Amino acid sequence: NIIYHIDALKTSLNSLNTSDLTESKIFSFSKETLSTLKIFKGDKNENTLKLSFSKNSEGWGSREGSLLSTSKTNTFLDKILALKTLSTPSLSQYSQKKLEELQGPPLITIEMEGDDHKIVTYKIIPLQFSLPEIDSSTFKDKQILVVRASNKELPSFITNDTLSLFDKTEKDL
């Protein structure tokens, strides 16, 4: 038999909604479990590959094999991996259906591979319509983007001001 210690909640259960109980982090990797990161501008193909690096015995290496700055790469990964979805209540069936129908090329495609060799693909696509669950007046002058992950059923949401996180190249690291 095993006894687990669980910290008490700091708020009452009655005040929580489903968005409080769902994973708010977009990316399901940590620096320790990530082995490869690739960022593509648009769809995934070699012509659009903007950034690619992998973990090796000495730290992080570029696709050409040169060693990247550990501190710069770790800072970059800390920012990317800490990215959280916008807080939204549960999506209605109407909104889920609209999101499933969302088509168009992604602005950015991110591919992450873990130490277990499982690859997860994230596509960032502009939201071209409004959803009743997202109060657009809260995000004045910002476009809402949908992040679809190959390992998650429901999408995440970010605003266009976070796109600058994905503008790095290997020279920046």
Side-chain angles (χ1 to χ4, degrees):
N1 292 342
I2 298 174
I3 299 173
Y4 293 97
H5 173 78
I6 300 172
D7 294 329
L9 293 174
K10 294 180 176 35
T11 58
S12 76
L13 286 175
N14 293 339
S15 67
L16 300 175
N17 63 34
T18 53
S19 66
D20 296 318
L21 302 173
T22 56
E23 178 62 55
S24 61
K25 285 178 58 179
I26 293 174
F27 301 108
S28 52
F29 291 91
S30 66
K31 282 188 301 197
E32 294 73 31
T33 61
L34 183 69
S35 65
T36 302
L37 173 84
K38 294 180 180 178
I39 298 177
F40 302 86
K41 186 172 177 93
D43 267 323
K44 176 187 164 188
N45 68 54
E46 287 304 313
N47 295 332
T48 62
L49 184 60
K50 187 172 181 165
L51 174 66
S52 176
F53 58 86
S54 299
K55 190 186 300 180
N56 60 38
S57 60
E58 299 171 11
W60 295 102
S62 71
R63 61 184 143 177
E64 287 87 25
S66 60
L67 196 59
L68 300 174
S69 164
T70 301
S71 64
K72 287 181 180 179
T73 305
N74 284 338
T75 300
F76 170 69
L77 286 173
D78 286 339
K79 289 178 182 176
I80 295 265
L81 297 173
L83 194 59
K84 295 186 177 193
T85 188
L86 299 175
S87 181
T88 58
S90 350
L91 296 173
S92 66
Q93 286 183 334
Y94 167 80
S95 293
Q96 287 180 23
K97 185 171 174 32
K98 292 282 284 180
L99 286 169
E100 287 170 10
E101 295 169 355
L102 180 63
Q103 298 295 319
L107 297 173
I108 295 172
T109 302
I110 302 153
E111 186 176 271
M112 294 184 178
E113 182 176 351
D115 291 334
D116 58 0
H117 303 290
K118 289 186 180 176
I119 296 173
V120 179
T121 303
Y122 303 87
K123 294 187 178 215
I124 301 176
I125 304 165
L127 184 62
Q128 300 163 348
F129 48 84
S130 63
L131 294 174
E133 294 86 358
I134 298 177
D135 181 11
S136 57
S137 65
T138 307
F139 306 104
K140 294 177 190 162
D141 302 325
K142 294 181 184 178
Q143 183 177 13
I144 296 177
L145 307 168
V146 178
V147 182
R148 285 197 177 144
S150 61
N151 67 338
K152 293 182 182 178
E153 189 175 319
L154 295 175
S156 300
F157 301 94
I158 58 174
T159 56
N160 60 338
D161 58 345
T162 58
L163 288 178
S164 62
L165 288 172
F166 304 103
D167 280 343
K168 300 281 186 207
T169 63
E170 288 150 10
K171 293 174 186 158
D172 298 322
L173 305 176

